[in-house]
Amino acid sequence: MPNVKVFNMAGEAVGTMVLSDMIFGAEINAAVLHAAVRAYLLNQRQGTQSTLTRTEVSGGGRKPWRQKGTGRARQGSTRSPQWTHGGIALGPKPRSYRTDMNKKTKRVALFSALSAKVAEGKLIIVDEIKCAEYKTKTMVNMLKALGAENRTLVVLPEVNPYTIKSCANIERVETCLSSTINVYEILKADKLVITAAAVKKLEEVYA
């Protein structure tokens, strides 16, 4: 079972925590991770892009010139795709990009992502994040003390508006709840800062 140090907000080691082997010590499955990231990104797409076909653009109701005898190519409308201001041929239309993964595969992907962070030494456990006011400087100092100054994901056990708002102004720092954490956000972050309470919640739900 992985044994990870626990730090306080000042960056001082205050103990250790034994993590669940099933969640934080799982075998890393690259194929499932790829599938999970692809599914997440596809599901973010709105699919509302739309172009006008020759039947939808205005004008072009009259044949521009007679069929024969002009020496020019026959044309039925000035809104054909080859004309300026004509319709778009084979352009995008509204569609759904949604794709689903079954629950077991999602779990394998989540465990793989968390295990990868532990294996790389990029998972930082904090005993508690105390933020009783909207103070960006408090969070900046904490992240600096923990060595998480690059792209960081802060995982909380429950909604704390002070912590969330204080992190919102920091570039490349995002927050999420242990109940809504996803594979894409974990892999995108250089460091994963998670509270001890959030780790316990993850283990209660999945282990």
Side-chain angles (χ1 to χ4, degrees):
M1 289 187 174
N3 200 327
V4 180
K5 288 184 179 180
V6 178
F7 299 89
N8 59 19
M9 290 181 68
E12 302 165 343
V14 293
T16 58
M17 189 172 190
V18 178
L19 303 177
S20 168
D21 202 38
M22 185 180 83
I23 300 174
F24 297 95
E27 183 181 349
I28 300 169
N29 191 322
V32 173
L33 285 175
H34 175 269
V37 170
R38 180 177 177 275
Y40 176 84
L41 293 176
L42 282 174
N43 292 340
Q44 300 308 299
R45 297 188 68 173
Q46 291 184 332
T48 55
Q49 72 276 37
S50 182
T51 53
L52 300 179
T53 65
R54 60 183 294 170
T55 64
E56 295 169 320
V57 291
S58 61
R62 178 177 175 274
K63 188 173 175 67
W65 52 76
R66 61 197 176 99
Q67 181 82 348
K68 294 177 179 293
T70 64
R72 289 180 286 187
R74 55 193 174 189
Q75 299 292 331
S77 170
T78 56
R79 292 300 179 260
S80 297
Q82 73 271 22
W83 283 72
T84 303
H85 307 304
I88 302 298
L90 307 177
K93 283 293 183 183
R95 54 164 287 195
S96 173
Y97 290 91
R98 182 156 191 83
T99 182
D100 292 319
M101 294 180 67
N102 63 59
K103 190 181 290 186
K104 285 185 178 179
T105 309
K106 282 181 181 178
R107 287 193 173 196
V108 170
L110 179 62
F111 298 165
S112 292
L114 291 170
S115 299
K117 289 300 180 190
V118 173
E120 294 167 3
K122 294 181 178 179
L123 183 136
I124 302 170
I125 300 177
V126 183
D127 58 351
E128 188 180 8
I129 297 179
K130 297 177 182 177
C131 198
E133 58 179 339
Y134 298 113
K135 198 77 173 177
T136 300
K137 189 174 182 181
T138 302
M139 302 309 298
V140 169
N141 291 337
M142 182 195 78
L143 295 173
K144 188 174 182 180
L146 294 171
E149 296 178 88
N150 293 323
R151 190 180 294 277
T152 304
L153 178 65
V154 179
V155 185
L156 305 171
E158 57 191 16
V159 176
N160 184 334
Y162 296 115
T163 302
I164 294 170
K165 284 282 188 181
S166 297
C167 288
N169 289 332
I170 308 174
E171 188 180 7
R172 295 184 298 179
V173 173
E174 297 178 2
T175 57
C176 76
L177 302 180
S178 57
S179 58
T180 60
I181 194 169
N182 67 73
V183 173
Y184 177 74
E185 289 178 336
I186 295 171
L187 295 179
K188 188 175 72 170
D190 293 325
K191 293 287 179 70
L192 190 65
V193 176
I194 183 170
T195 65
V199 171
K200 289 178 181 177
K201 277 203 170 186
L202 283 172
E203 291 182 342
E204 283 174 9
V205 171
Y206 294 109

